[in-house]
DNA sequence: TCAAGATCGTGAATCGATTCACGGCGTTTC
DNA sequence: GAAACGCCGTGAATCGATTCACGATCTTGA
């Protein structure tokens, strides 16, 4: 309203290809080619078009673009709980890789709710994302399969390729569980508890724990405690119930399904007077940043979340295959202070 | 390929309004009205249309919808660093509120890079988000103002409405800083350091700290250490440089710009042999979940991130005004173990 | 019984970027 | 010098959902 003919930038309506074309004195097709196939247009015109676009603050309308080409530049990332640093890291890794290829990540936080998960999957479809990264949220939702049939590929992140045949990349969770339990057994711990939620990757961790116990030369007991969600709050609650046990029923080693849970357990146990690691050794899983800052720095299994996120993006973009990642995300035991050094480790 | 004519769900192409209309035996317009203005169509037809949509797995194409109506159902959230739990919490709060109104949040993680910030803002514009929540990332980017002029509103989250005139909601950072420093002064701490990055909200926290020092009846020294990013890693590095100081130059109280930084400082100081809180008191800011699990549980200022996120969404959706939030996000001192109880607190 | 009005379904235009098919113009080669 | 070819710009069709304006059907009251 106020501005004369000179500055067009501040105009209310967004500039369209038509506006740019008019200003550059070319057709709309030329403007489009300038952006999608720069070599198709001569350098001279290209410059003119780009200048006009710049002056008008042209941004393009992805809706129109998508309507025509059928898919968006975005990739969807579905996680169960963004306040778990593991997922934040996964998202950061995916995002950085996506940005490097001019792509974007849409993050959906299902908060462990299947309903929201479904809603977000629909949202992804309505957004025509060109692919979906799904971090484990229980079973593979049927919607995901439907999406694939309708042309949107997905990659499961953090779930080992198992009996299912879905594309998936993951660290070796079974081996991680095995490492954790072996570490405890090597210290002479014999009354172990595994505490974890019902996620496929957690089940694998448990399988590894079981295998370590089964292979142990000395007999050892393993108890399994199932919880709903693996949060610090739940960890504290479990610690309180544990504290009510008699000395004979009390464990001397715990493997937690993830670090968040372990941190809560640790806090609850210490508040309850348990000495860690003297009375009980604790091993977490993931090696989140805060594991090192805990009241007693947490022994845990390192899990390369950011690298997984980046790889998943490359796979969806067709720059890498599942097989290429083979053996690239090996879990690793990080011994800190919630467990005793293993007898052989006293170097 | 394998399926006969019976099940249509698994067909490759996504169903369109046209398909639904054909199946329900109505026009495309009717299908559209069924979803956008359900009362416009009679109950009978509505049922038929919904059934047909369900059978076909109809999801709708948001690109087409947006192209027509001009804006999307998504809101953009711009944060500087998603691995800071504060932002994860903010995102979760915003997301939950958005979901309650059938909206979605697009999260953009700029990683403190102005270039990526700009790229994401362009992305938001190309996505025609109906509004943007921007968590402080330094100055207000000029692009944000441009977006507003072109019709996309924004709300700054966590930045107090100051000399600028942008819509903003925030806890009272100045008061939080004041609380933190007052707490230290009340314990008899006299050689304070404030450590923080160059964010507008951190500057406010610092202003509060300065005011507390100025108002102190006993003279107290305040040193200011500026850092680039407020992460735990940087905190540890700062701790190491602090440890090289002579006893006289060593502080007896520290206010950190956020909890991540405080956690890193704490760890670095304790590893270096400093006793907390005996030798030095430390106060963080934000009260992230891990503050309570730290090697010495962290005294901090609580900051209602999730509530801020939810409010920002309501404001963008026009359900609430900036003024309504007045006084709703008051900071609160949470005394844990990194500081001495104040003399008067021995209840 | 009939006119006036309310209810509700429909055809067609529309949003903006992309891309196909066409053709004008300049260059090369015998 | 003319035919053949390649380069590059353009008009027009297209993607799918929304919404306007119209009209068909049904309801209601005198």
């Amino acid at each position: 309203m106020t501005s004369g003919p000179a500055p067009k930038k501040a105009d209310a309506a967004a500039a369209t290809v038509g506006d740019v074309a008019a200003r550059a004195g070319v057709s709309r097709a030329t403007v489009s080619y300038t952006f999608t196939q720069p070599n198709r247009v001569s350098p001279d015109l290209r410059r003119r078009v780009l200048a006009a676009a710049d002056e008008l603050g042209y941004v393009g309308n992805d809706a129109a673009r998508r309507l025509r080409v059928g898919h968006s530049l975005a990739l969807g990332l579905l996680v169960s709980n963004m306040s778990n640093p593991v997922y934040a890291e996964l998202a950061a890794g995916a995002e950085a890789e996506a940005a490097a290829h001019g792509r974007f990540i849409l993050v959906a936080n299902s908060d462990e709710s299947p309903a929201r998960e479904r809603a977000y999957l629909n949202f992804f479809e309505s957004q025509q994302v060109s692919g979906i990264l799904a971090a484990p949220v229980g079973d593979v939702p049927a919607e995901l399969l439907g999406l694939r049939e309708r042309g949107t590929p997905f990659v499961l992140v953090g779930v080992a390729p198992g009996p299912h045949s879905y594309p998936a990349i993951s660290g070796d969770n079974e081996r991680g569980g095995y490492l954790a339990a072996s570490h405890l057994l090597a210290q002479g711990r014999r009354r172990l508890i595994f505490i974890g939620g019902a996620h496929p990757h957690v089940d694998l961790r448990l399988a590894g724990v079981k295998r370590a116990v089964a292979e142990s030369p000395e007999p050892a007991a393993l108890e399994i405690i199932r919880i709903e969600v693996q949060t610090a709050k739940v960890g504290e609650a479990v610690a309180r119930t544990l504290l009510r046990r008699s000395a004979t029923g009390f464990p001397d080693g715990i493997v937690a399904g993830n670090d968040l849970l372990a941190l809560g357990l640790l806090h609850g146990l210490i508040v309850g007077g348990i000495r860690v690691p003297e009375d009980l050794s604790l091993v977490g899983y993931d090696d989140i940043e805060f594991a090192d800052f805990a009241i007693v720095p947490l022994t845990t299994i390192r899990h390369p979340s950011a690298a997984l996120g980046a790889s998943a993006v490359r796979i969806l973009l067709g720059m890498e295959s599942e097989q290429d990642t083979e053996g690239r995300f090996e879990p690793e035991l990080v011994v800190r202070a919630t467990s005793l050094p293993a007898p052989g480790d006293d170097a």
Side-chain angles (χ1 to χ4, degrees), chain A:
Chain A
M1 304 227 128
T2 50
S3 61
K8 289 200 176 175
K9 291 185 153 188
D11 273 282
T16 73
V17 269
D19 301 332
V20 176
R23 189 177 183 94
V26 298
S27 74
R28 305 218 308 281
T30 303
V31 174
S32 179
Y33 281 127
T34 303
F35 290 105
T36 57
Q37 304 174 38
N39 293 329
R40 180 85 157 66
V41 342
S42 62
D44 179 39
L45 271 198
R46 199 186 316 155
R47 264 191 301 277
R48 244 166 64 206
V49 170
L50 291 177
D54 195 46
E55 287 163 34
L56 293 170
Y58 173 70
V59 170
N61 181 325
D62 192 53
R65 188 192 144 276
R66 261 171 48 198
L67 181 57
R68 186 64 231 245
V69 307
H71 63 93
S72 107
L73 287 175
L75 299 170
L77 168 63
L78 185 63
V79 300
S80 57
N81 185 349
M82 201 126 70
S83 45
N84 183 339
V86 169
Y87 294 121
E89 208 186 309
L90 179 72
E95 204 146 28
E97 185 69 26
H101 305 295
R103 303 303 206 102
F104 297 88
I105 299 282
L106 265 45
V107 185
N109 182 8
S110 73
D111 247 332
E112 318 254 355
S113 146
R116 284 182 68 178
E117 197 171 288
R118 249 175 287 125
Y120 272 117
L121 250 15
N122 271 344
F123 177 63
F124 283 163
E125 179 158 19
S126 77
Q127 296 301 314
Q128 298 172 290
V129 296
S130 40
I132 294 178
L133 294 78
V137 271
D139 288 330
V140 177
E143 283 81 4
L144 215 41
L145 299 176
L147 268 171
R148 181 170 59 173
E149 276 167 2
R150 271 172 265 128
T152 308
F154 68 86
V155 175
L156 298 178
V157 184
V159 188
H164 60 72
S165 59
Y166 314 132
I169 62 172
S170 166
D172 188 340
N173 284 293
E174 199 273 349
R175 180 165 164 71
Y178 181 82
L179 287 174
S182 298
H183 174 61
L184 292 177
L185 292 165
Q187 299 165 35
R189 302 307 192 182
R190 292 294 175 266
R191 295 189 307 282
L192 306 189
I193 298 190
F194 176 87
I195 306 177
H199 291 303
H201 63 295
V202 173
D203 291 339
L204 286 168
R205 291 171 190 177
L206 171 57
V209 168
K210 283 180 175 165
R211 180 163 64 90
V213 170
E215 290 181 3
S216 167
E218 310 268 333
L222 173 63
E223 178 185 346
I224 295 158
I225 297 182
R226 285 292 186 177
I227 53 177
E228 285 295 315
V229 289
Q230 302 185 130
T231 60
K233 194 179 286 268
V234 170
E236 288 194 277
V238 172
R240 278 194 297 274
T241 71
L242 244 31
L243 287 166
R244 285 200 290 272
R245 293 192 175 187
S246 67
T248 58
F250 208 79
D252 59 7
I254 296 182
V255 178
N258 73 7
D259 279 355
L260 238 40
L261 183 62
L263 252 20
L265 278 164
L266 177 63
H267 195 249
L269 291 171
I270 285 178
V271 166
I274 303 296
R275 292 171 307 155
V276 178
E278 292 81 358
D279 300 335
L280 175 149
S281 289
L282 173 65
V283 184
Y285 207 115
D286 288 340
D287 193 24
I288 64 177
E289 184 180 19
F290 303 100
D292 198 22
F293 302 137
I295 188 157
V296 179
L298 183 68
T299 293
T300 188
I301 305 291
R302 181 165 297 158
H303 185 249
S305 302
L308 278 167
S311 246
V313 168
R314 282 197 299 274
I315 290 178
L316 285 178
L317 261 30
M319 311 172 52
E320 192 169 288
S321 88
E322 241 179 290
Q323 286 74 35
D324 295 342
T325 72
E326 202 69 53
R328 207 155 72 193
F329 309 115
E330 283 306 300
E332 188 187 336
L333 175 69
V334 180
V335 180
R336 294 206 182 90
T338 56
S339 65
L340 303 166
D345 289 2
D346 49 3

